[in-house]
Amino acid sequence: MLLKYFYDQKLAHASYLVGCQRANVAVIVDPGRDIDQYIEMAQREGMKITAVAETHIHADYVSGARELADRVGAKLCVSDEGPAEWKYLYLDGYDHQLVHDGDHFLIGNLKFDVLHTPGHTPESISFLLTDQGGGADEPMGIFTGDFVFVGSIGRPDLLEEAAGLQGTAEPGARDLFHSAERFKSMPEYLQVWPAHGAGSACGKGLGAIPSSTVGYEKRFNPALQFNDEEQFVKYILADQPEAPKYFAVMKRVNKEGPKILGADHHHSMLDVAKLSAAVDSGTVIDLTPAPEFAKGHVPGSINIPIGMLAAWAGWLVDYDRPTHLICKPEQLEEAARVLHKIGVEEIVGAFDTDDVRNSGLANEVYPTGTPADLSYAIESEDVQLIDVRSSDEWNEGHIEQAKHLFLGRLPKTIEQLPSDKKIVVQCRSGARSAIAASVLQACGIKDVINLTGGYTAWKSEGLPSVKPTPAMSGHA
């Protein structure tokens, strides 16, 4: 048996190639959209990818299952559990097997037993792997998808928080409790292979270790320490990370079937003469580092440096309109790959950073200021301070005069800003608030200042802050 681990750092997403070395065939478990990595690995190992096994309809990235089925003819082994609204809709025309609890399928001499493990989503399944080619008659491990992570467990509130399906969080939590009880009854030696690691919004407190065992998770995973259902429900629904709004888009895309990109998919650099029209027609993302963007940028563009693209584009891009980039030519394909992974399909192309700067179109600026520069204006409320961090960060402590407007929802909350004051934006370090400054300017609020160094610099200067009481913890 061959097991290869793939990890997308930008999305905190883990996927796997599992191969039978006797039959030279392999299955990809929970593939991402960048499928070339799987094809190249299979070729290197002398294997043919014959199947895809998916644990659920993912919400945080575009699945590569359809692309693999289309490109290499892989059979789709996917869940048929859960209610009608969570069934795959693109399977006609592809070789596929709809699986239920108790079913199994073979990849060469490798046996995959299906377990229905609902809670994170209603259709969620896990796969127990037995290496029959090695003579085993008991499983060696379990692919848990977004059910059990290292040090955590999948959140049950995404359908309600991100997809807007009201009344689904608590029933999901109760399903998750019973799935967890089933997990705890499994042999402790079983290896656990999850679909996410630290940084994913699919759960709270995920560990950075790639794999674990059932026994270790039973002992040390906080979510698996509850024997009382009510206490578990209360725990699992509290303090979850912000649910990115694009998760609802991903659920729909992966259910209906992502667009096939094809092996020769690529993007083009565009004539800067088309830039003004691009700003009017959709979203223009400038990948320039924030300090350079602050000194000169195109009005109406938003600034998301390439290292932050995966985390924030899904919050701020309009999925119903075309997307253009401003970047260096060598950045284009990588940036487009990241955007495609989170379901941004209509990427028209990019404008060269140097051409834009030389065109004279980058004629808008915003100032920055240190805590020392801005503390008097903030504390006297001559300016309006906006804290764009997460709710958890806000609740840990914030500047007293700040108003909390989370970056991801900033375009929808702009009406809460005063029209008679300068706006100062602040995060932990100054990176997210730089994005926020660009978003505010693109939305028409031009008098914006970014607080350099953010809350960390404010605290290091010994300036005052407050921590809200529990009654204030729901501050939005």
Side-chain angles (χ1 to χ4, degrees), residues 14 34 108 133 279 383 387 406 442 451:
D34 184 7
V279 173
V383 297
D387 185 333
F406 173 62
L451 181 63

Side-chain angles (χ1 to χ4, degrees), residues 249-322:
V249 177
M250 294 301 89
K251 270 289 183 184
R252 176 181 55 77
V253 166
N254 287 327
K255 180 174 72 170
E256 296 177 358
K259 175 184 175 183
I260 299 298
L261 297 179
D264 59 350
H265 186 74
H266 66 279
H267 304 83
S268 302
M269 300 302 294
L270 305 171
D271 190 323
V272 73
K274 298 180 180 179
L275 180 50
S276 296
V279 173
D280 293 337
S281 67
T283 306
V284 176
I285 305 174
D286 191 331
L287 306 184
T288 305
E292 296 176 32
F293 183 90
K295 294 175 183 176
H297 53 267
V298 177
S301 64
I302 62 173
N303 180 214
I304 311 179
I306 192 164
M308 302 177 76
L309 199 58
W312 294 107
W315 285 101
L316 301 171
V317 166
D318 186 340
Y319 276 76
D320 296 324
R321 304 176 74 194

